[in-house]
């Protein structure tokens, strides 16, 4: 073989190695995604983060149900080839599935057979520092996909081929700015919010033109001088006050309002940033055309616990106290289950109650919905303060779900965890962690006498009563919940690598399957050619792993840190 | 089987492709403002300066380091141009003074009076190695990444003793000259995080 002959095949191999897409075949007959299809998705598809704009995580499919789920079995699996937390829902559009993984991969698969169409690999910079190496999915519009990356870009791909159509830098990853969320697409606008609450950023939500990648508007979650709410900050604290917005928002098409959750104040100890600190730990109501803040509700003031409230509230038409109203429902990281009323220009407090043990709140002011804090459990500079629940809260970012059948809310809660740290003043160095405590000082302690940790809860938002719960004696619960019209509550999230289906009305465990790794991903239900499937990614990492490490090394409760990593897509169906 | 010249050619092609990818990446404003040499990896005969604290920028002397730790974060400094090589975070190292008798046979030749240096970039997700504490599974103190709890034993080539990191930290050989700590060679091992996929 001469040099020329040798070089050609090697060049081809190298091109495949270094280019960002290796095609196994373009997708034919791809169904363009329109505004109407996103507003009223076909029952067999899952095209938004929680399937529908209301964020309920409810599938109307019922072919797989409480009577036949015992016969549910894997039909195909697919290894993603990467480690760390696989948190994305498999997105499905008329038989085509899009998977995203840590390290910025997008994989297009035949949703029926598991055959690969193409794979995109983001070429991340060598000096990137990934505190949260994960991704939560691609947004869809027409024949394009939108990926938000940990090196702080939004990338548009051709859905049929995986080719890059545009690539827009959002901010500078070297300053601790990054993205992990699935973009929300509303009428041709691709909306994302930045991560970086542990790096002293000033959070924002930003919209890009879906066709060109041009920035249309950017709304900071911390108001600048002269803007309403700026008075809730002292001095220059607002410039580095956190308020990251790292989860996908929900959307009310009737009022054209996007509801977006906002994260913790920075640094953590509250006395380093005195004031209410708007709009940290809040939900913002935004106009998708302009980014204008229509109104807001703050779940707690002067955040001191790293209790991001980034998980957007669910939009539910609720019957309660003898009336029907348009509600926002949010089981908070701050341990309070919130029922709010959404109006075009105002969000009113309706009810709130603790859904796990907390020693931080003494009550809620009934007129305003402001929680009343016990100062003994509020972290400050210079002394160690303990608080319950832990900094991962009663429910962290993994999503709850609402069933239109049972009218119950299903919450992946964590009970009996407390935390603590010693606040300290440290200078902000852009791009470096800025917590207001030593990271190694952060504790996770199990309450004495605890019988369990993870708790899958079913709440009736109309009455505030817990209808059932399923307890996990040896594991936390760190995975999103999905519910179907077949009355199945689907969830992974435990350290025994199980994927489970529960009876939505009773909480009875109906089915379980041990998988390759722990499941942090969101389960979905979809249908192709008349067959219903259930899909989920199994791949443990990030905070599921962090809590596991803390249970194993700081608490003598017989838990080991031996959950294996490595991502696999699992797809199930009922044997016919 | 390919001949040596084939291998050389392939290396050139791969390097060229890799360079093309690198060149298309956006350069930050900081990188453009940095003086020449500041993003070069640590070079033989470089000095080491404190990366943080009241003495940031000052040359580290062996006697400054407390035996048994905690480690100090440091940047290399070109002694001829006085350029501190902080143009890339991949140049940052952690330095810790240990009992020379505790060092294994691979680590000892790279140490100077028991002082060892490693890349401060975790091999898992690229976080900085900032903590020093008792190992999760053992009694000795180890280097810790606070992002995802990986631990590295500095006495044994910074091999992974806990957590998700896939491989050891790159080691930086040290020497002492004229009372100062100097770098005796380039990094041994790969600097930076794994890239999955």
């Amino acid at each position: 073989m001469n040099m020329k002959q040798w070089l050609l095949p090697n060049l081809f191999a190298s091109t495949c190695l270094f280019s960002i897409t290796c095609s196994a075949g373009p997708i034919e007959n791809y169904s363009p995604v329109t505004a109407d299809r996103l507003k009223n998705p076909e029952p067999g598809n899952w095209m938004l983060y929680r399937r529908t704009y209301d964020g309920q995580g409810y599938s109307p499919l019922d072919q797989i149900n409480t009577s036949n789920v015992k016969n549910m079995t894997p039909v195909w699996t697919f290894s993603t080839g990467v480690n760390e937390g696989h948190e994305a829902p498999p997105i499905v559009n008329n038989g085509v599935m899009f998977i995203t993984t840590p390290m910025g991969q997008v994989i297009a698969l035949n949703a029926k057979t598991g055959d690969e169409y193409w794979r995109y690999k983001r070429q991340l910079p060598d000096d990137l520092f990934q505190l949260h190496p994960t991704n939560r999915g691609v947004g869809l519009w027409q024949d394009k996909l939108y990926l938000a990356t940990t090196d702080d870009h939004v990338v548009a791909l051709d859905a049929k081929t995986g080719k890059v159509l545009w690539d827009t830098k959002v901010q500078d990853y070297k300053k601790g700015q990054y993205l992990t969320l699935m973009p929300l697409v509303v009428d041709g606008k691709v909306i994302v919010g930045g991560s970086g609450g542990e790096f002293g950023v000033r959070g924002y939500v930003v919209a890009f033109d879906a066709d060109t990648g041009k920035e249309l508007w950017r709304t900071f979650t911390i108001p600048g001088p002269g803007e309403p709410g700026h008075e809730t900050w002292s001095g220059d604290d607002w410039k580095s006050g956190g308020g990251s917005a790292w989860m996908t928002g929900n959307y009310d098409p009737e009022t054209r309002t996007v509801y977006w959750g906002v994260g913790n104040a920075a640094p953590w100890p509250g006395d380093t940033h005195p004031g209410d600190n708007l709009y940290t730990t809040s939900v913002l109501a935004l106009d998708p055309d302009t980014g204008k803040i229509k109104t807001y509700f703050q779940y707690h003031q002067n955040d001191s616990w790293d209790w991001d409230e980034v998980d957007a509230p669910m939009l539910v038409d609720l019957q309660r106290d003898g009336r029907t109203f348009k509600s926002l429902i949010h089981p908070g990281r701050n341990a309070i289950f919130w029922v709010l009323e959404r109006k075009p220009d105002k969000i009113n407090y309706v009810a709130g109650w603790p859904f796990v043990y907390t020693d931080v709140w003494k009550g809620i002011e009934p007129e305003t919905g402001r929680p009343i804090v016990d100062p003994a459990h509020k972290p400050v500079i210079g002394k160690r303060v303990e608080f319950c629940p832990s900094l991962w809260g009663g429910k962290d970012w993994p999503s709850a779900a609402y069933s239109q059948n049972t009218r119950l809310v299903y919450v992946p809660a964590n009970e009996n965890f407390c935390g603590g740290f010693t606040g300290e003043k440290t200078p902000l160095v852009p791009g470096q962690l800025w917590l207001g405590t030593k990271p190694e000082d952060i504790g996770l302690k199990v309450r004495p006498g605890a019988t369990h940790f993870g708790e899958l809860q079913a709440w009736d938002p109309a009455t505030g009563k817990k209808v059932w719960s399923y307890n996990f004696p040896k594991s936390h619960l760190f995975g999103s919940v999905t519910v179907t019209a077949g009355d199945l509550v689907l969830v992974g999230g435990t350290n025994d690598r199980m994927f489970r289906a529960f009876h939505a009305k009773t909480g009875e465990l109906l089915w379980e399957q041990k998988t390759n790794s722990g499941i942090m991903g969101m389960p979905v239900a979809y249908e192709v050619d008349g067959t219903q499937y259930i899909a989920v990614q199994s791949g443990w990492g990030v905070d599921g792993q962090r809590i596991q490490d803390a249970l194993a090394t700081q608490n003598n409760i017989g838990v080991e840190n031996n959950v294996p990593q490595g991502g696999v897509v699992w797809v199930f169906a009922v044997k016919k | 089987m390919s001949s040596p010249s084939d291998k050389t050619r392939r290396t050139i092609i791969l390097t060229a492709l890799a360079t093309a990818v690198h060149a298309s990446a956006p350069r930050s404003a900081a990188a453009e403002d940095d003086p020449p040499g500041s993003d070069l990896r640590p070079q033989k005969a470089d000095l080491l300066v404190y990366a943080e604290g009241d003495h940031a920028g000052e040359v580290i002397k062996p006697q400054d380091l407390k035996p048994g730790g905690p480690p100090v974060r440091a940047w290399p400094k070109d002694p001829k141009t006085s350029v501190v090589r902080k143009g890339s975070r991949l140049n940052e190292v952690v330095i810790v003074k240990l009992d020379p008798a505790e060092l294994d046979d691979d680590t000892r030749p790279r140490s100077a009076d028991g002082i060892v240096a490693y890349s401060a970039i975790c091999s898992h997700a690229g976080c900085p190695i900032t903590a020093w504490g008792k190992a999760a599974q053992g009694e000795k103190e180890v280097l810790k990444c606070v992002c995802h709890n990986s631990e590295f034993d500095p006495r044994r080539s910074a091999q992974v003793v806990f957590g998700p990191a896939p491989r050891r930290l790159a080691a930086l050989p040290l020497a002492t000259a004229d009372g100062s700590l100097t770098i005796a060679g380039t990094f041994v091992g790969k600097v930076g995080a794994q890239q999955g996929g």
Side-chain angles (χ1 to χ4, degrees):
Chain A
M1 187 186 280
N2 66 32
M3 181 67 78
K4 198 172 176 185
Q5 283 171 316
W6 189 92
L7 276 174
L8 285 171
N10 275 278
L11 260 175
F12 178 78
S14 304
T15 304
C16 197
L17 191 67
F18 283 98
S19 77
I20 43 187
T21 306
C22 292
S23 277
I27 298 167
E28 290 170 6
N29 304 320
Y30 182 74
S31 306
V33 176
T34 61
D36 283 343
R37 291 189 67 215
L38 290 178
K39 275 180 210 158
N40 297 295
E42 303 84 2
N45 284 329
W46 196 288
M47 300 186 290
L48 292 161
Y49 187 58
R50 299 298 283 141
R51 202 187 86 80
T52 44
Y53 274 135
D54 55 27
Q56 293 178 2
Y58 173 75
S59 166
L61 299 180
D62 62 0
Q63 193 183 89
I64 304 174
N65 53 49
T66 53
S67 58
N68 64 10
V69 69
K70 62 181 182 293
N71 298 322
M72 194 160 78
T73 189
V75 291
W76 58 264
T77 59
F78 184 94
S79 287
T80 68
V82 296
N83 287 334
E84 270 304 332
H86 285 59
E87 300 179 355
I91 295 296
V92 179
N93 177 17
N94 286 354
V96 180
M97 178 185 286
F98 300 106
I99 294 294
T100 70
T101 75
M103 314 303 163
Q105 283 195 108
V106 185
I107 309 165
L109 299 166
N110 181 315
K112 187 174 175 178
T113 64
D115 292 333
E116 180 182 317
Y117 291 120
W118 54 257
R119 183 188 295 239
Y120 166 83
K121 293 181 186 179
R122 179 76 180 164
Q123 303 298 290
L124 294 169
D126 286 344
D127 61 348
L128 179 65
F129 160 9
Q130 293 190 83
L131 180 61
H132 297 99
T134 192
N135 184 277
R136 298 193 184 85
V138 279
L140 310 184
W141 181 252
Q142 297 296 346
D143 54 0
K144 297 184 182 68
L145 311 177
Y146 305 94
L147 175 73
T149 70
T150 49
D151 62 335
D152 218 39
H153 285 232
V154 173
V155 182
L157 304 176
D158 183 324
K160 296 193 279 290
T161 63
K163 280 191 182 141
V164 175
L165 300 173
W166 54 258
D167 179 339
T168 299
K169 180 183 171 183
V170 180
Q171 282 193 333
D172 188 356
Y173 75 83
K174 293 190 178 185
K175 293 179 179 155
Q177 306 274 4
Y178 59 108
L179 298 161
T180 58
L181 78 176
M182 173 169 159
L184 174 70
V185 183
V186 173
D187 294 338
K189 295 179 185 68
V190 181
I191 308 174
V192 300
S195 300
E198 277 63 68
F199 295 85
V201 301
R202 180 184 175 212
Y204 61 89
V205 181
V206 59
F208 300 97
D209 183 289
D211 289 327
T212 65
K214 184 178 167 247
E215 184 171 324
L216 301 174
W217 52 259
R218 188 180 299 235
T219 299
F220 285 95
T221 59
I222 301 181
E227 294 177 314
H230 184 71
E231 70 284 356
T232 63
W233 292 87
S234 172
D236 282 343
D237 294 348
W238 63 279
K239 290 181 180 171
S240 53
S244 53
W246 47 271
M247 288 287 290
T248 312
N250 293 325
Y251 175 55
D252 184 345
E254 271 182 38
T255 60
R256 292 189 56 74
T257 308
V258 168
Y259 291 92
W260 206 282
V262 184
N264 61 286
W268 294 348
D271 55 349
T272 61
H273 43 82
D276 281 1
N277 308 140
L278 290 176
Y279 298 98
T280 63
T281 58
S282 301
V283 56
L284 287 175
L286 300 169
D287 181 332
D289 296 325
T290 62
K292 184 176 176 287
I293 297 172
K294 296 181 177 186
T295 186
Y296 72 96
F297 179 83
Q298 190 173 38
Y299 299 109
H300 59 269
Q301 291 69 38
N302 190 230
D303 177 56
S304 308
W305 304 267
D306 188 27
W307 282 342
D308 297 77
E309 299 294 357
V310 287
D311 180 29
M314 293 182 277
L315 281 56
V316 175
D317 289 343
L318 185 63
Q319 291 174 349
R320 188 187 159 96
D321 305 327
R323 67 188 184 111
T324 301
F325 61 97
K326 293 191 177 298
S327 79
L328 296 174
I329 293 177
H330 176 62
R333 187 153 158 180
N334 68 7
I336 297 171
F337 191 112
W338 295 96
V339 177
L340 309 171
E341 179 172 11
R342 68 181 201 275
K343 294 189 163 178
D345 57 349
K346 201 163 189 323
I347 298 170
N348 291 324
Y349 169 70
V350 176
W353 60 88
F355 63 98
V356 296
Y357 174 76
T358 175
D359 58 14
V360 171
W361 310 120
K362 297 200 276 191
I364 299 175
E365 288 178 8
E367 292 302 315
T368 61
R370 288 171 73 100
I372 302 158
V373 65
D374 182 345
H377 298 291
K378 183 172 178 178
V380 290
I381 294 291
K383 68 171 182 180
R384 187 170 180 87
V385 175
E386 309 287 338
F387 52 88
C388 311
S390 74
L391 67 83
W392 287 278
K395 183 191 80 66
D396 204 319
W397 64 265
S399 299
Y402 174 78
S403 166
Q404 293 170 14
N405 245 17
T406 63
R407 299 187 178 181
L408 300 180
V409 175
Y410 302 94
V411 184
N414 283 298
E415 180 59 286
N416 295 317
F417 285 160
C418 300
F421 58 85
T422 306
E424 62 172 31
K425 228 177 183 130
T426 49
L428 172 63
V429 179
Q432 294 200 15
L433 281 178
W434 194 52
L435 307 179
T437 183
K438 286 192 177 62
E440 56 270 35
D441 188 42
I442 300 162
L444 175 76
K445 289 288 173 206
V446 163
R447 290 180 72 208
T451 58
H452 68 281
F453 312 115
E455 190 173 314
L456 179 63
Q457 304 174 335
W459 288 92
D460 184 347
T463 62
K465 288 197 176 127
K466 198 201 280 188
V467 177
W468 57 260
S469 62
Y470 188 96
N471 299 335
F472 297 96
K474 287 284 183 189
S475 180
H476 49 312
L477 183 59
F478 212 87
S480 289
V481 176
T482 286
V483 63
T484 71
D487 279 342
L488 298 176
V489 180
L490 303 160
V491 66
T494 53
N495 58 19
D496 56 7
R497 295 155 39 205
M498 288 293 188
F499 184 43
R500 294 185 168 92
F502 296 89
H503 196 306
K505 288 180 179 152
T506 64
E508 184 191 351
L509 175 62
L510 298 175
W511 174 92
E512 60 185 351
Q513 166 76 49
K514 207 167 192 86
T515 68
N516 56 298
S517 181
I519 294 174
M520 307 172 71
M522 184 185 296
V524 304
Y526 67 95
E527 188 177 88
V528 184
D529 294 341
T531 298
Q532 183 189 339
Y533 300 90
I534 301 290
V536 72
Q537 295 203 75
S538 177
W540 197 244
V542 209
D543 283 284
Q545 174 83 55
R546 283 194 188 105
I547 297 170
Q548 180 79 6
D549 287 344
L551 290 177
T553 61
Q554 299 176 19
N555 295 274
N556 187 21
I557 55 168
V559 170
E560 293 181 39
N561 71 323
N562 57 0
V563 183
Q565 289 204 358
V568 173
V569 184
W570 288 75
V571 174
F572 304 91
V574 167
K575 272 187 196 159
K576 286 185 177 165
Chain B
M1 187 191 252
S2 55
S3 69
S5 63
D6 286 339
K7 277 184 186 162
T8 307
R9 180 61 66 96
R10 182 170 54 178
T11 306
I12 291 165
I13 291 165
L14 290 176
T15 308
L17 277 166
T19 308
V21 169
H22 180 75
S24 67
R27 282 171 62 82
S28 74
E32 282 160 10
D33 295 342
D34 286 334
S38 68
D39 59 354
L40 261 187
R41 297 285 167 272
Q43 303 292 307
K44 189 173 178 180
D46 277 358
L47 298 169
L48 286 155
V49 300
Y50 289 97
E52 59 181 359
D54 295 341
H55 299 284
E58 293 177 18
V59 172
I60 300 170
K61 296 192 170 61
Q63 61 270 26
D64 295 344
L65 298 170
K66 198 176 147 203
V72 167
R73 294 172 71 169
W75 294 112
K77 179 181 177 177
D78 185 331
K80 295 189 194 97
T81 62
S82 293
V83 167
V84 176
R85 302 193 199 279
K86 58 181 180 182
S88 167
R89 61 185 294 267
L90 301 179
N91 292 348
E92 194 178 4
V93 295
V94 284
I95 300 169
V96 61
K97 185 174 172 68
L98 299 166
D99 178 352
E102 288 188 322
L103 306 183
D104 73 10
D105 291 344
D106 289 332
T107 307
R108 199 176 305 114
R110 297 197 287 254
S111 68
D113 298 335
I115 302 168
V116 291
Y118 295 100
S119 165
I121 308 299
C122 184
S123 57
H124 169 234
C127 293
I129 308 292
T130 55
W132 178 247
K134 201 162 84 64
Q137 294 167 341
E139 292 305 312
K140 297 215 162 166
E141 288 178 304
V142 290
L143 295 166
K144 295 190 178 203
C145 170
V146 298
C147 284
H148 310 104
N149 301 327
S150 290
E151 297 181 353
F152 306 87
D153 185 349
R155 302 160 197 85
R156 293 182 290 156
S157 301
Q159 65 172 267
V160 182
V161 291
F162 187 86
R167 56 180 159 73
R168 61 178 74 90
L169 302 172
L172 192 63
L174 297 178
T176 48
D178 304 328
S180 288
L181 205 52
T182 66
I183 293 171
T186 53
F187 275 123
V188 179
K190 184 182 181 309
V191 178
Q194 62 176 357
Q195 293 290 336

